[in-house]
Amino acid sequence: MVHISTSLALLGAFVSLASTSTANVLPRQTSDTTFDYVIVGGGAAGAVLANRLTENRSVSVLLLEAGPDNTGKIEAVVPYIYSRLFGSDWNWNYTIVPQPGLNNRVVPYFRGHVLGGSTEIKYHRLTVSKNEQFVPGTNDNGRFLSSTHGTSGPIGVSLNQVNQWILEPTLTAAQQSGVWAFNQDNNDGDPIGISWQQFAIKGGQRSSAATGYLNQQVRARSNLKIQVNSRATRSNPLTFSTVEYKNDVTGATGQVTARRDIILSAGVIDTPALLLRSGLGPTADVQAAGITPLVNLPAVGQHFVDHAGTPIAWQVNTTLTDDEIDKNSTLLNQLLDEWNASKTGRLTTTSLAHIQFSRLPSNASIFQTVADPQEGKADAPHFEALLANKWTLLAPRPATGNFVGMTHFCLSPLSRGSVRLNPQNPQGAPLIDSGSLSHPFDIFTLRYAIRQTARFFQAPVWRTYNAQPVFDPAILDSDSALDEYIRNNSFGGAHGVATAKIGKANSPAGTDVVGPDFRVKGVSGVRVVDASVIPFSPGGHAMVPVYVVAEKAADIIKANP
Ligand SMILES: Cc1cc2nc3c(=O)[nH]c(=O)nc-3n(C[C@H](O)[C@H](O)[C@H](O)COP(=O)(O)OP(=O)(O)OC[C@H]3O[C@@H](n4cnc5c(N)ncnc54)[C@H](O)[C@@H]3O)c2cc1C
């Protein structure tokens, strides 16, 4: 075991909340610079840890967040307009390196850059009862299973409460086409089928890690200090219990010390980047970035896995789609007025209402050459499809017309990528190689998924709306043409995991990064708790798995500080 004192040089603006209404005085501090734990990153995992660790009032915590506080943007509160945050300063605005699997296109890779992290810019959720406060609406009978849900957790959850035109044809088409059986609750342990989607929305307003786990009561704790606009960029390998800052506003630098641990919760991209900048990672990658290697950890930044997403659209003859809101600012403003007045109306939810999870048939030809990644698990989906009441392709919406979009995710991908530092600019944006669609299983699955969707749109009910594909339907008959569509229209995903994998205490050297106590192997004083430790792709979206991991990690850290 190499004992390295952790020193993360935080070259970012340092705005201490000590000067705001959320000011804290730490009872055990001899100065404002020493804490029991320093958590880097205030997203899903960091917010849970900050909350849970400070439940013990004798433990002091500093939470450092690179982005701003999660206040002051209406898009963070009004569900319908959340996607406008994608293009804002609340996003790291990363792109992935050109992907052969995506015909070498450069596509965005969204990551939240704000207190609350990526939970501030996401939409749907899988649930887990400990962290949810499920609030049923008056029409929700038969649309969820109450026994599956919690009612007193920090994150508000509800179903779509707006009676949109698309609800009836969606359920009818599922039945008529036989593509998806109705599943009353996709969170009851078996997600397969079509279900009403559950959203992190309560009372018409969005919930996030920041609103839930870092609410005003938690922020008022005297043993918790939150610093926003503080970006860690590299470590000083000589003092591994000390975190250094630079205040970008004043240019001043500072230091804080973690008496116990520094906990990296900077997410699937920035946690491996911080480890690499600290000299912890594959020796060759660290050296390539001009950094002195400290501990050879071959798995740092490796095994990156995400769900590539493939949208496809049908045109419909109703003007009731949400395209009308998106192209008519007067209408949007009227709806915003309604939302402001009463937190009601169309903007209380997104353009999604149902979600579909599917398995490939057991005799699918791909299984002649590839072992089923979900073999033997009858309730584990291979892919997902999300129907939206509007255009959802990355390509701009056509000037005229109304659309419904279906986005498909391969949930059991075998493609793998990596996160490395840019040798030309090690402190800048990391090189994100999502490896998208590099494995034949993933593109086979998306091909199957789109053909299944096409069958769904052939259901008689869609004739009422004259649903027509916004692509040449001949591609459905040709694997190579369909592959070309998929490679030209997919994006890299938003559910990345595994760049600092967790493993057994005695796993073979180099196969993982942290052990069961979330400590970085071979290093003292550093733990990692966030999406990057999740060792394989969850068969669904990643946020709740991260909440679960962070809750578990908090229990472990409390029991074994
Ligand atoms: C656009 C989008 C949509 C999504 N939709 C869904 C969904 O519908 N359902 C679902 O389940 N999941 C969804 N996800 C995934 C989910 O949000 C993430 O899996 C989850 O938030 C990951 O948690 P985390 O704590 O690992 O990272 P994050 O929540 O991303 O938090 C990391 C935090 O660390 C901060 N940080 C990074 N670097 C530094 C640094 N150097 N110094 C200080 N702070 C730093 C970041 O600013 C961020 O606040 C979505 C993600 C995105 C991006």
Side-chain angles (χ1 to χ4, degrees), residues 41 43-45 65-66 92 110 112 114 117-118 122 124 232 270 494 530-531 541 543:
E65 167 52 44
W92 283 85
F110 301 125
V114 55
S118 300
K122 60 87 192 74
H124 152 261
D270 288 290
D530 60 17
H541 298 201
M543 177 179 62

Side-chain angles (χ1 to χ4, degrees), residues 40-45 64-66 86 92 110-114 117-119 121-124 230-232 265-267 270 274 494-495 530-531 541-543 546:
V40 176
L64 295 170
E65 167 52 44
F86 292 178
W92 283 85
F110 301 125
R111 289 284 96 194
H113 173 256
V114 55
S118 300
T119 73
I121 62 172
K122 60 87 192 74
Y123 47 96
H124 152 261
S230 297
R231 182 162 63 97
S265 297
D270 288 290
L274 282 168
H495 306 144
D530 60 17
H541 298 201
M543 177 179 62
V546 173

Side-chain angles (χ1 to χ4, degrees), residues 452-514:
Q452 181 172 280
T453 290
R455 291 206 302 281
F456 168 78
F457 276 105
Q458 279 160 8
V461 67
W462 291 114
R463 286 185 211 138
T464 317
Y465 302 95
N466 193 25
Q468 298 294 330
V470 191
F471 55 89
D472 178 0
I475 66 172
L476 297 168
D477 301 325
S478 155
D479 284 1
S480 59
L482 191 47
D483 287 0
E484 199 58 9
Y485 175 89
I486 294 168
R487 294 193 193 286
N488 281 333
N489 288 282
S490 297
F491 55 92
H495 306 144
V497 296
T499 50
K501 278 169 65 160
I502 197 167
K504 292 181 178 170
N506 60 354
S507 61
T511 53
D512 45 47
V513 176
V514 301

Side-chain angles (χ1 to χ4, degrees), residues 57-383:
R57 297 309 167 87
S58 68
V59 169
S60 60
V61 170
L62 172 66
L63 177 62
L64 295 170
E65 167 52 44
D69 196 7
N70 64 313
T71 52
K73 281 201 201 290
I74 186 83
E75 296 90 340
V77 192
V78 183
Y80 184 80
I81 53 176
Y82 79 96
S83 60
R84 294 177 179 218
L85 293 170
F86 292 178
S88 77
D89 59 343
W90 282 19
N91 181 2
W92 283 85
N93 292 305
Y94 288 144
T95 53
I96 54 179
V97 301
Q99 296 293 301
L102 302 180
N103 281 347
N104 291 313
R105 287 175 303 125
V106 173
V107 292
Y109 193 78
F110 301 125
R111 289 284 96 194
H113 173 256
V114 55
L115 196 66
S118 300
T119 73
E120 284 291 331
I121 62 172
K122 60 87 192 74
Y123 47 96
H124 152 261
R125 62 173 277 128
L126 302 178
T127 64
V128 60
S129 55
K130 179 172 180 179
N131 97 335
E132 74 171 330
Q133 184 188 359
F134 192 92
V135 185
T138 46
N139 291 326
D140 289 349
N141 260 352
R143 297 180 176 181
F144 74 105
L145 281 171
S146 57
S147 55
T148 304
H149 295 279
T151 53
S152 57
I155 305 291
V157 178
S158 61
L159 306 182
N160 184 332
Q161 299 299 316
V162 180
N163 191 16
Q164 291 155 285
W165 73 276
I166 198 171
L167 305 180
E168 193 278 325
T170 300
L171 292 170
T172 303
Q175 208 172 31
Q176 289 177 338
S177 64
V179 167
W180 295 291
F182 182 67
N183 179 343
Q184 192 174 344
D185 199 319
N186 67 335
N187 279 301
D188 69 351
D190 180 359
I192 305 295
I194 182 167
S195 306
W196 287 83
Q197 209 173 153
Q198 298 163 8
F199 299 92
I201 294 172
K202 182 183 150 197
Q205 303 185 57
R206 301 181 66 228
S207 297
S208 72
T211 63
Y213 281 93
L214 300 175
N215 60 32
Q216 289 307 319
Q217 288 81 3
V218 175
R219 291 181 188 218
R221 289 178 188 165
S222 59
N223 54 336
L224 172 62
K225 179 175 177 179
I226 302 173
Q227 285 181 194
V228 294
N229 298 322
S230 297
R231 182 162 63 97
T233 57
R234 68 178 291 272
S235 74
N236 175 346
L238 300 177
T239 53
F240 221 37
S241 59
T242 302
V243 179
E244 299 176 1
Y245 310 85
K246 182 177 178 190
N247 182 327
D248 269 354
V249 179
T250 65
T253 56
Q255 284 192 353
V256 291
T257 299
R259 287 191 201 93
R260 295 179 183 167
D261 289 311
I262 290 176
I263 306 176
L264 299 184
S265 297
V268 70
I269 305 301
D270 288 290
T271 281
L274 282 168
L275 289 168
L276 290 163
R277 291 184 190 119
S278 309
L280 306 174
T283 298
D285 285 1
V286 173
Q287 275 173 332
I291 292 162
T292 306
L294 280 171
V295 178
N296 182 26
L297 291 168
V300 170
Q302 305 302 304
H303 310 291
F304 181 39
V305 55
D306 206 337
H307 305 145
T310 315
I312 195 161
W314 270 255
Q315 184 158 5
V316 287
N317 66 3
T318 170
T319 54
L320 292 173
T321 71
D322 292 339
D323 302 299
E324 297 298 317
I325 305 174
D326 292 352
K327 55 191 177 192
N328 181 345
S329 56
T330 308
L331 175 58
L332 176 63
N333 285 332
Q334 282 167 2
L335 294 169
L336 264 175
D337 287 344
E338 181 185 359
W339 185 91
N340 274 320
S342 57
K343 306 288 178 290
T344 59
R346 178 63 201 88
L347 303 192
T348 58
T349 191
T350 69
S351 296
L352 310 168
H354 291 100
I355 186 165
Q356 297 84 238
F357 291 98
S358 303
R359 283 181 64 79
L360 294 172
S362 54
N363 63 355
S365 60
I366 190 73
F367 296 134
Q368 290 165 16
T369 49
V370 177
D372 182 354
Q374 306 278 31
E375 195 173 16
K377 300 175 197 158
D379 53 6
H382 290 113
F383 64 92

Side-chain angles (χ1 to χ4, degrees), residues 408-421:
H408 309 80
F409 296 99
C410 174
L411 296 176
S412 51
L414 292 174
S415 302
R416 294 290 180 272
S418 64
V419 175
R420 288 175 295 121
L421 296 180

